[in-house]
Amino acid sequence: EEQYLVAEQKTKELEKAKEELEDYSEQLEKSSQYKSNFLANMSHELRTPLNSILILSQLLSENENHTLSEDEEGYAKVIHTSGTDLLKLIDDILDLSKIEAGKVILTVDEVNLTEIPELMKLTFNPIAEKRGVAFAIDMAENLPAVWYTDGQRLQQILKNLLSNAFKFTEKGSVRLGFDHTDDGMLAISVTDTGIGIPKDKQKLIFEAFQQVDGKTNRIYGGTGLGLSICNEFVKLLGGSIKLDSTLGEGSCFTVYLPLLSQEMVDIIQMAQME
Ligand code: ADP
C-alpha cells in the first residue's frame, strides 16, 4: 500500500515537471520569436535614417562646389565610412537573426560560370589596387558552364571571405580559385598571403562575435559576424567550409558546394511550387 502511494506521488511529480517543461519551452519559443521580430523591425527602422546619413555625407564628401575646407571634407568621409560600417553590422545582425529563426528563404538560380568571377573582379580590383596586393582568379578546366545555387547568397559568402582576405593581407596576393572535387562538388577557394590564423583559433572564428584577439580587433575593425554568417549560409546551400592556415604565412578558406544537375533543380522547384 505504502509503496503504491509513493509511486503515485512520484508519477504526479513527474507529470507536473513535464508540464512545467512544456510551458517553459513554449515561453522560450515565444521569446525567441519575439527577439527575431524585434531585430527584424529594429533593423528596418535603423536603416531608413542611416540611408539619409549615407547619401548626404557622400554628397558632402564629394565637395563639388569646394565650399568645405579640407578638414570638413575629411569629416564627411569619416561619417560616410562609419555609416557604411554600421549598415553592414545591421545587415549582418538581421541575417543572423533570420538564420536563427529559420526564416532564410533560398532561391535556386542559374549561375553562369563567369558571372561570379566577373562580379568579384569588379568589386575587389579597386581594393586590391588600393592595398597594393595582387588579385588573381583561377578557373579549373572542365567546370560546368552553369551552376544551380542561390546566386545572391554565394556572392555574399565570397564577398565576406574576400573582404577578410584583403583586410588581413599587407603584401603578396589574394587568389580566388574555382575547381571541382572528385566526388562532384564545386570547390571555391579564397587564398591569401596574410597574417594567418593560429591553430587554436581556427574553429572559434566561425562562431558569432569571435575574433582572433582584442588587439587584432582594434587594428582591423569588424564585428566577428562575417564568418559565422558564411558558415550558416554554406550549410543552408548544402555545403561546407574548410580552413587551412599558418600563422604568419596566410590562410585558405575553401567552400564546397554541391553541383546540382538540371534534373535535381527541376525536382526542387516542383517541390517549392506544391
Ligand atoms: P570580422 O572580420 O568582422 O572580424 P569575421 O567573422 O569575418 O569577422 O572573422 C572573424 C575573425 O577571423 C577575424 O576578426 C580575424 O581575426 C579572423 N580572420 C578571418 N579571416 C581571416 C584571414 N583571411 N586572415 C587572417 N585572419 C582572419
Side-chain angles (χ1 to χ4, degrees):
E1 175 87 358
E2 203 173 298
Q3 262 181 345
Y4 175 75
L5 281 176
V6 172
E8 199 178 33
Q9 179 66 20
K10 283 266 176 274
T11 318
K12 270 191 193 147
E13 276 171 20
L14 268 174
E15 259 166 24
K16 197 164 163 252
K18 196 173 145 230
E19 268 170 32
E20 276 172 6
L21 204 67
E22 274 167 6
D23 278 355
Y24 181 66
S25 55
E26 210 172 284
Q27 273 174 20
L28 212 64
E29 176 76 21
K30 264 194 203 147
S31 72
S32 153
Q33 192 69 36
Y34 177 77
K35 189 186 89 185
S36 313
N37 287 343
F38 173 78
L39 281 173
N41 290 336
M42 261 315 262
S43 306
H44 182 76
E45 295 303 323
L46 286 170
R47 205 173 295 165
T48 314
L50 190 53
N51 273 327
S52 313
I53 295 176
L54 282 175
I55 294 169
L56 297 176
S57 58
Q58 165 98 44
L59 261 181
L60 275 178
S61 70
E62 283 166 8
N63 197 11
E64 272 196 6
N65 301 327
H66 305 287
T67 44
L68 298 185
S69 73
E70 214 171 284
D71 276 354
E72 287 165 338
E73 196 183 302
Y75 302 152
K77 280 195 180 124
V78 175
I79 297 174
H80 191 260
T81 3
S82 305
T84 312
D85 289 348
L86 189 55
L87 186 62
K88 169 99 174 68
L89 176 62
I90 293 169
D91 285 341
D92 282 354
I93 291 178
L94 185 60
D95 272 341
L96 265 186
S97 68
K98 272 194 203 149
I99 292 169
E100 256 183 39
K103 281 190 181 158
V104 178
I105 299 166
L106 296 173
T107 60
V108 186
D109 310 311
E110 200 179 281
V111 182
N112 182 297
L113 177 64
T114 51
E115 196 177 314
I116 301 263
E118 287 301 327
L119 275 167
M120 295 303 133
K121 259 194 229 164
L122 272 180
T123 313
F124 288 98
N125 270 346
I127 296 170
E129 245 169 64
K130 208 162 118 192
R131 308 262 305 146
V133 168
F135 181 36
I137 300 185
D138 296 326
M139 310 271 280
E141 281 173 24
N142 303 329
L143 281 167
V146 285
W147 313 322
Y148 299 92
T149 189
D150 187 318
Q152 282 302 323
R153 299 297 177 203
L154 180 57
Q155 274 186 51
Q156 204 177 339
I157 293 163
L158 296 184
K159 276 187 183 164
N160 261 319
L161 295 178
L162 284 166
S163 309
N164 279 344
F166 282 105
K167 186 159 94 178
F168 296 107
T169 304
E170 292 289 326
K171 58 177 191 295
S173 61
V174 171
R175 179 184 155 273
L176 174 63
F178 294 85
D179 206 340
H180 45 70
T181 65
D182 293 338
D183 54 352
M185 301 282 272
L186 183 65
I188 310 179
S189 56
V190 175
T191 315
D192 67 55
T193 56
I195 61 171
I197 301 156
K199 283 269 171 295
D200 63 326
K201 297 280 162 67
Q202 291 185 5
K203 250 206 169 112
L204 194 78
I205 53 165
F206 288 98
E207 284 170 26
F209 297 108
Q210 294 295 335
Q211 298 173 312
V212 168
D213 62 33
K215 208 166 93 235
T216 314
N217 176 18
R218 250 172 277 132
I219 299 172
Y220 294 98
T223 58
L225 290 178
L227 282 180
S228 65
I229 293 174
C230 281
N231 198 27
E232 294 299 332
F233 279 155
V234 170
K235 275 197 272 177
L236 285 173
L237 294 177
S240 60
I241 298 191
K242 191 181 93 191
L243 166 62
D244 291 301
S245 183
T246 310
L247 199 59
E249 287 183 19
S251 312
C252 175
F253 289 84
T254 310
V255 174
Y256 296 96
L257 292 176
L259 270 172
L260 300 179
S261 65
Q262 176 70 59
E263 289 81 15
M264 281 159 82
V265 174
D266 288 346
I267 293 171
I268 295 171
Q269 278 170 345
M270 294 256 277
Q272 278 172 346
M273 271 189 260
E274 271 165 18

